[in-house]
Amino acid sequence: MKRNMMVWILLIFTLGYAFPSEEVEVMKGFVYREGSEEKDLMYIQKEIREGTYDSLKISHRYFSSDEELEAYESVVLENGSLGLYETAINGLGFKGSLELVDGRVRLVRVKDGKYREKKIRNRENLVVGPLLPSFVEENISTLQKGETVVFHLPFFDGMTLIPMLLEAKEGDRDYTGRHVVVEMRMKSRLLSWFIQPVDMTFDLDMEKITEIHGPTILPDPRGGGGKDYVEANIYYQYGGI
């Protein structure tokens, strides 16, 4: 009897671990137009998790104020390692994907119906959007020591990986001494003249990013025919974990 009971317990545990769990919303972000004093809500961002450690999918979905899905990005982690990353921005007519194939990075870009594919050399600390918060968390103690951290982001327009820098800095958002303002910028000094850095406020008690301030890759819903990128203040709420 006891042996049969143990078999059933092991079977239930195995099935529960092997099959994906239901979608769980663990984060919600409110994306306001910069300079609007948090009155112009442009997008609502949601982080959705589904699955288990052996196959975990993390999705970031961006909804308009009328709850239409405008953009998304998702990554599948196989036993903690990056498997497949996909992204799309409706207003830009863009879709992209990244996966590791035989030790190289395979990039696919579809823009206005035109398809491009390229395999390039992998780089150290390859990070995609949904993994950036955990990457900051993993390196926060290094950043607090005044050291910089280099990582690489996919850049689909150039079909390449671009080096980025993280650095802790003092700022007016360090409210209580329990927050660290982390600046993300281009490693290239030349490119950093043209692309403004992004500030992320990291809460040491929550061990999470609570705010992001700066340029985004999201199109401006109000102007430019959906083609202009927008600068924003983003505030996050967490729950459901």
Side-chain angles (χ1 to χ4, degrees), residues 15 26 42 51 71 74 87 97 99 114 118 131 138 157 163 168 197 226:
L15 291 174
V26 299
M42 297 179 292
S74 67
T87 183
S97 68
E99 62 181 328
K114 297 180 179 180
K118 187 177 182 181
L131 300 182
E138 291 166 6
D157 283 350

Side-chain angles (χ1 to χ4, degrees), residues 74 77 95 123 128 138 144 160 168 193 209 225:
S74 67
L77 300 177
K95 291 183 179 180
R123 298 286 185 172
V128 294
E138 291 166 6
Q144 285 182 281
T160 189
W193 279 97
I209 293 172

Side-chain angles (χ1 to χ4, degrees), residues 80-216:
S81 298
L82 193 155
L84 174 66
Y85 169 72
E86 296 178 305
T87 183
I89 304 176
N90 296 338
L92 301 180
F94 161 78
K95 291 183 179 180
S97 68
L98 176 154
E99 62 181 328
L100 299 180
V101 180
D102 299 326
R104 294 175 67 81
V105 176
R106 176 177 175 264
L107 293 171
V108 173
R109 174 181 181 268
V110 180
K111 182 72 178 292
D112 297 328
K114 297 180 179 180
Y115 180 94
R116 290 181 63 190
E117 180 179 333
K118 187 177 182 181
K119 286 185 180 179
I120 60 177
R121 181 164 63 93
N122 194 8
R123 298 286 185 172
E124 185 179 7
N125 289 338
L126 173 58
V127 177
V128 294
L131 300 182
L132 181 59
S134 59
F135 184 77
V136 173
E137 179 183 348
E138 291 166 6
N139 290 279
I140 194 65
S141 59
T142 300
L143 294 169
Q144 285 182 281
K145 295 175 184 176
E147 301 177 26
T148 58
V149 175
V150 179
F151 68 105
H152 291 82
L153 282 176
F155 176 54
F156 288 99
D157 283 350
M159 297 297 280
T160 189
L161 304 176
I162 53 175
M164 306 290 295
L165 283 179
L166 292 178
E167 185 176 21
K169 70 172 194 176
E170 296 181 359
D172 58 358
R173 298 187 185 93
D174 189 7
Y175 304 117
T176 66
R178 297 302 297 164
H179 296 79
V180 178
V181 178
V182 178
E183 182 182 81
M184 179 177 68
R185 66 179 187 272
M186 309 284 289
K187 184 180 180 183
S188 166
R189 291 186 178 181
L190 177 61
L191 292 178
S192 65
W193 279 97
F194 300 98
I195 301 177
Q196 296 299 311
V198 172
D199 284 351
M200 297 176 284
T201 302
F202 186 86
D203 187 303
L204 294 171
D205 296 320
M206 295 177 61
E207 297 184 334
K208 295 183 184 300
I209 293 172
T210 55
E211 301 177 18
I212 292 180
H213 303 269
T216 75

Side-chain angles (χ1 to χ4, degrees), residues 40 45 54 203:
D40 188 354
Q45 176 186 358
D54 57 345
D203 187 303

Side-chain angles (χ1 to χ4, degrees), residues 69-83:
L69 181 64
E70 298 294 342
Y72 77 86
E73 55 181 345
S74 67
V75 60
V76 176
L77 300 177
E78 304 290 349
N79 296 313
S81 298
L82 193 155

